[in-house]
Amino acid sequence: MSTPSGFDELIHPSTRLSVVALLAATEWADFPFIRDSLSLSDSALSKQLHTLEEAEYLEIRKEGGGRKRRTKVRLTHRGRTAFEGHVAALRAIVEGAGPAAAPAPAADAAASAETTAATGTGQQHQRAEASR
């Protein structure tokens, strides 16, 4: 199976995907909000933000000074486009696996009925053997 167009190896790791998905829902987000929302340590989040910033998927702004310094983060146009492409690629993968992998509802019901009948017969046989 070939990788669909738009699949982004940089975004795909779960932590980065979570960061980008969170940022896709907002214009700007504060560092503590992202950290707390994703249950990450400061260092783990900083590392992921740095990686995404190097790829020009994020813009990071530091505002204020001293103890009141705030770090704000947002997706760039490039980052938003990459995220949307990655989500579309993931959907294509999932949809491509769906219908062929899952039995039709009627076939599924028939298989379930056969399994129930076989299990019931097997249980009756086991009870009969046990009572002998």
Side-chain angles (χ1 to χ4, degrees):
M1 175 181 199
S2 65
T3 303
S5 173
F7 188 89
D8 192 313
E9 294 284 347
L10 184 72
I11 292 176
H12 192 66
S14 62
T15 302
R16 281 189 225 134
L17 183 58
S18 296
V19 168
V20 174
L22 182 66
L23 293 173
T26 186
E27 184 64 30
W28 286 93
D30 291 327
F31 185 95
F33 173 77
I34 301 167
R35 179 197 61 213
D36 296 345
S37 295
L38 302 179
S39 300
L40 295 171
S41 67
D42 287 355
S43 62
L45 179 56
S46 291
K47 180 180 176 184
Q48 300 308 323
L49 293 179
H50 179 70
T51 299
L52 292 163
E53 183 183 35
E54 281 184 335
E56 299 179 359
Y57 285 4
L58 301 181
E59 178 182 349
I60 299 175
R61 281 193 190 158
K62 305 225 183 234
E63 299 175 346
R67 298 195 81 158
K68 297 195 181 219
R69 188 169 193 159
R70 295 179 65 156
T71 301
K72 299 185 88 161
V73 184
R74 76 174 181 113
L75 278 180
T76 61
H77 177 70
R78 180 179 181 163
R80 192 168 299 277
T81 300
F83 174 67
E84 290 168 358
H86 189 68
V87 169
L90 291 174
R91 282 192 179 120
I93 291 169
V94 171
E95 289 169 1
D108 193 30
S112 178
E114 288 175 14
T115 302
T116 301
T119 303
T121 303
Q123 288 174 347
Q124 289 172 354
H125 181 68
Q126 286 175 351
R127 279 190 223 120
E129 290 292 322
S131 63
R132 288 185 189 165

